Amino acid sequence: MAELTRKEYRQQQKNAQRQAAARDEKRQEVERDYAKQQREAERETVLAGAGDQRLDPSFQKVNALKKKLNWAIGIVVVLIIITYAVMLIL
């Protein structure tokens, strides 16, 4: 088995690092392309199913709960303001 000189060893290490960097760059490029394709496919799915979603009972229940929660938050805020005003007067 031949012994490597320091220079040869350093050169091998640099080559290995370059190859790893190139692989990593290629991997990141492929991942970006895949993510882009997935976003486009998801967007198309959402657009295609938007009309059917409103008919879903769970969607209707969630919307009803959202409205009730918004009303509850609004009422609480108004009551806090009234309480604060009363505290200032007294």
Side-chain angles (χ1 to χ4, degrees):
M1 191 166 171
E3 293 290 323
L4 293 177
T5 64
R6 286 184 185 169
K7 184 177 181 180
E8 292 171 340
Y9 178 75
R10 286 187 199 132
Q11 189 64 35
Q12 283 181 350
Q13 293 299 317
K14 285 181 184 178
N15 287 339
Q17 287 177 350
R18 282 190 207 122
Q19 289 173 353
R23 280 193 312 270
D24 190 46
E25 187 176 316
K26 179 66 176 170
R27 178 189 56 81
Q28 288 177 352
E29 182 181 333
V30 169
E31 287 177 354
R32 279 192 298 269
D33 291 343
Y34 178 76
K36 188 175 182 180
Q37 289 174 353
Q38 291 302 312
R39 282 192 304 266
E40 289 173 359
E42 183 177 326
R43 188 178 309 129
E44 289 175 4
T45 308
V46 167
L47 291 176
D52 299 337
Q53 186 181 19
R54 294 188 187 120
L55 302 176
D56 185 22
S58 63
F59 182 76
Q60 292 173 350
K61 289 179 184 178
V62 168
N63 277 343
L65 286 174
K66 284 181 185 178
K67 288 178 184 177
K68 289 179 184 178
L69 180 62
N70 286 338
W71 274 102
I73 291 171
I75 290 170
V76 168
V77 168
V78 169
L79 290 175
I80 289 173
I81 291 171
I82 291 172
T83 305
Y84 183 70
V86 169
M87 296 291 280
L88 285 177
I89 293 173
L90 296 176

